[in-house]
């Protein structure tokens, strides 16, 4: 492997790897592993809406008006404080009666044993609660790069998102990834600068990093009162009020909101007035309606502009995704969370404010997207659905367009993390949890019946909303699912005995349905089962879940990097297959050409010469493509899959009566012959790297990265630290990194 070419997995998107090594954190982690974990019981309040004496009708509790619904996600880099923020949100909304803590392992959304032991979020968790008359369906997502798919499939069904930032670090590696995912799904979002009480926190630095790295326009709706240890509250720029939390309050419920006055806070009032005027000008540049209002009535004195008018304009700008509102606080210290909840209801959209073009085809009939599957030992598969139109009820028969099958929902639940409440119905705009769907998987489109799907298809045809493939009516109605990234690690997995192999197969089948990024395949040579995952932690979690949830003590082989192979030149090969089976003669002669592609493509690009394409039947075409794809699964160099190749079929002679299986076998053998003749090259995954280090350790870190074949792109200054930005081959940073008494994040 002297000739190596570095590549980025999944359409040349460079993955991000997060490593956070501190000597002190390693010691804490070791002590934590030794500590007995007692899963503390939580005190939950009643159904949302049933707080105190405010008893509402069951219908208003379960199915609030669609304008009062907010479907939001919490997304961020690992350790930015997503789960802590979620925990405070649930407490202040009345959903829980005590504050949970990640370090204590008693948070609502991190309910898996692996999450509580490691203090990280592994799988997304949905909770439903009320805040000041609004129904909020909130999903807490993971921040680790290994579980990026969890964020992707949740953002697909959400209407808005809260991006949480560590105020001392600003935009970090995984922040860029989740922000790109939100851009892809056109999700309006607001920013929450968390950890304002942390030493080194800088509001201005964090805002500037949002502007520079995310290329977003921040709207400063709040300014902090103090930073680091002096942080005690925030100032609302829109209403010119300051919010001060009582330092003696244990839970952060006790805070004072009062207007800024010239007598008591002259300097702060001047600063906020300037910030408010700048905000008004910024919003006016982005929103024509607001600009007309400001220039018409309030051009001489912005102080007379009502806060409600400014809030409405910020709402429109947020929906248009031309700017992002920015708030700040400290979730751990219980400061700034209530204003964040107000901002969620005020600035993020309701389901009816999102423009989903496919809804016009269904005319109020059921249309839903299954975005997550969990396995429950008692109830079987639990399927999370986002309802876009229509209504879901228990015992309802539904049609799965992707699977072309009809199933029946036995029970309907509202999700509350690991607690679920059974309900009689749920309408459009909500997120439901269904029981009884045995064949539905992530990304499946659900409708009321096959006839409903066909009727919607006809409407789509009339309105010119056809897709590029015309051979299947159902394909025009499929909601966009999620893109499953290619795995970057693999290892063998073996049961304790051959008698347990069926149990292992069942466990892996269930886990694959839950987690589409987990791939399982059988090695054709050794017969061993191969686990393919997104990272070391991903495979470690799967191994642990098989042991805990399915009672199987499995054995993992050494972890290996998923390399790829490609060719560097153009080669041709000819092959003939002549075989007689029974009284039938199978004769195929084929000539193929393989050449390298300049653009990245995981699958081979297949072309046909004009003379071949004219007389080629559909069955023969499918057989040829199956043969070419199977030949690319194992490269001639080390047996890794082939990518970045274009294959042209120049000639094909088929004897009458030849089976499609023989055609496929001949084409596959011919391509393998061509690939062996070509100049070959190994491709390896490359990880984007960001290392934060003190000046004293900059030289040894750079030397270590050079030994690991790292490529340094840039060295930035972040307050008193240096930030090294570059990339390094994945194989060089497996299970190890630089161990220095400083904070390293990459």
């Amino acid at each position: 492997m002297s000739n190596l070419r570095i590549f980025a997995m999944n359409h040349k998107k460079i993955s991000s790897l997060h490593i956070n090594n501190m000597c002190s954190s390693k010691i804490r982690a070791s002590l934590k592993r030794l500590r007995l974990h007692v899963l503390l019981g939580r005190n939950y309040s009643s159904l949302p809406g049933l707080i105190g004496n405010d008893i509402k009708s069951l219908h208003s509790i379960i199915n609030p008006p669609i304008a009062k619904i907010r479907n939001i996600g919490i997304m961020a880099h690992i350790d930015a404080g997503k789960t802590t923020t979620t925990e405070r949100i649930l407490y202040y909304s009345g959903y829980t009666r005590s504050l949970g803590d990640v370090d204590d392992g008693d948070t609502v959304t991190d309910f898996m044993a692996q999450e509580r032991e490691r203090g990280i979020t592994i799988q997304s968790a949905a909770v439903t609660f009320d805040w000041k008359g609004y129904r909020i369906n909130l999903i807490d997502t993971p921040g680790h790069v290994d579980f990026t798919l969890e964020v992707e499939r949740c953002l697909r069904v959400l209407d808005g998102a809260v991006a949480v930032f560590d105020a001392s670090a600003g935009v970090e590696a995984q922040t860029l990834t989740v922000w790109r995912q939100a851009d892809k799904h056109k999700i309006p979002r607001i920013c929450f600068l968390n950890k304002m009480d942390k030493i080194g926190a800088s509001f201005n630095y964090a805002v500037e990093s949002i502007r520079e790295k995310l290329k977003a326009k921040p709207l400063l709706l709040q300014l902090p009162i103090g930073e680091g240890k002096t942080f005690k509250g925030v100032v609302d720029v829109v209403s010119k009020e300051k919010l001060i939390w009582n330092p003696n309050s244990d839970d952060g419920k006790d805070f004072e909101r009062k207007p800024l006055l010239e007598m008591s806070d002259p300097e702060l009032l001047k600063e906020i007035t300037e910030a408010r005027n700048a905000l008004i000008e910024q919003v006016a540049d982005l929103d024509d309606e607001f600009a007309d209002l400001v220039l018409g009535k309030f051009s001489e004195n912005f102080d007379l502009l009502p806060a409600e008018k400014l809030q409405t304009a910020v709402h429109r700008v947020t929906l248009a995704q031309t700017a992002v509102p920015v708030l700040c606080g400290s979730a751990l210290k219980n400061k700034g969370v209530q204003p964040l909840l107000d901002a969620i209801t005020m600035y993020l959209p309701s389901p009816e404010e999102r423009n989903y073009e496919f809804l016009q085809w269904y005319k109020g009939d059921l249309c839903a997207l299954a975005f997550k599957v969990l396995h429950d030992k008692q109830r079987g598969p639990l399927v999370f659905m986002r309802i876009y139109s229509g209504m879901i009820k228990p015992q309802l028969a539904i049609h799965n367009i992707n699977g072309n099958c009809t199933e029946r929902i036995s029970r309907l639940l509202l999700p509350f993390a690991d607690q679920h409440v059974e309900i009689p119905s749920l309408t459009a705009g909500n997120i439901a949890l269904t029981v009884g769907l045995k064949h539905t998987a992530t990304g499946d489109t659900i409708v009321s019946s096959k006839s409903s799907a066909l009727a919607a298809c006809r409407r789509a045809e009339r309105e010119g909303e056809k897709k590029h493939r015309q051979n299947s009516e159902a394909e025009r109605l499929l909601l966009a699912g999620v893109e499953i990234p290619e795995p970057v690690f693999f290892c063998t997995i073996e049961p304790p005995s051959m008698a347990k192999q069926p149990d292992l197969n069942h466990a892996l089948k269930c886990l694959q349905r839950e987690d589409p990024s987990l791939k399982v395949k059988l090695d054709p040579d050794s017969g061993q089962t191969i686990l393919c995952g997104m990272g070391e932690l991903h495979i470690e979690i799967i191994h642990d879940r098989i042991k805990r949830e399915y009672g199987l003590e499995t054995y993992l082989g050494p972890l290996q990097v998923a390399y790829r192979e490609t060719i560097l030149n153009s080669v041709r090969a000819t092959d003939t297959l002549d075989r007689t089976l029974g009284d039938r003669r199978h004769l195929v002669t084929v000539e193929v050409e393989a050449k390298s592609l300049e653009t990245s493509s995981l699958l081979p690009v297949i072309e046909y010469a004009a003379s071949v394409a004219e007389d080629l039947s559909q069955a023969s075409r499918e057989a040829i493509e199956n043969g070419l794809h199977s030949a690319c699964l194992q490269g001639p160099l080390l047996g890794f899959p082939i990518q970045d190749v274009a294959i042209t079929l120049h000639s094909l002679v088929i004897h009458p009566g030849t089976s499609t299986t023989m055609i496929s076998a001949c084409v596959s053998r011919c391509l393998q012959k061509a690939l062996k003749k070509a100049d070959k090259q190994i491709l390896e995954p490359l990880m984007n790297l960001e290392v934060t280090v003190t000046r004293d350790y900059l030289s040894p870190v750079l030397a270590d990265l050079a030994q690991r074949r790292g490529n340094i792109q840039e060295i930035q200054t972040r307050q008193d630290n240096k930030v090294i930005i570059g990339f390094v081959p994945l194989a060089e940073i497996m299970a190890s990194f630089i161990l220095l008494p400083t904070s390293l994040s990459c």
Side-chain angles (χ1 to χ4, degrees), residues 294-304:
V294 171
L295 293 174
K297 294 182 180 180
F298 308 102
S299 57
E300 295 183 1
N301 190 353
F302 286 169
D303 291 340
L304 299 177

Side-chain angles (χ1 to χ4, degrees), residues 543-573:
H543 183 226
D544 192 44
R545 289 188 65 187
I546 291 172
K547 178 181 178 181
R548 294 185 192 228
E549 297 174 23
Y550 298 93
L552 289 173
E553 192 72 55
T554 55
Y555 305 103
L556 292 182
L559 207 59
Q560 300 180 59
V561 174
Y563 294 99
R564 293 288 189 272
E565 297 182 22
T566 193
I567 60 174
L568 301 175
N569 59 340
S570 177
V571 288
R572 283 199 184 201

Side-chain angles (χ1 to χ4, degrees), residues 22 74 154 275 277 302 358 418 431 473 559 578 688:
M22 291 178 64
I74 306 287
C154 291
N277 292 343
F302 286 169
F358 59 84
D418 58 340
I431 291 175
E473 290 183 336
L559 207 59
D578 188 357
N688 212 14

Side-chain angles (χ1 to χ4, degrees), residues 214-236:
L214 301 180
K215 308 302 178 187
K217 295 179 180 178
L219 301 176
L220 305 186
L221 304 187
Q222 291 179 350
L223 293 180
I225 301 175
E227 291 179 347
K229 291 183 178 180
T230 62
F231 177 69
K232 58 181 180 178
V234 299
V235 179
D236 189 328

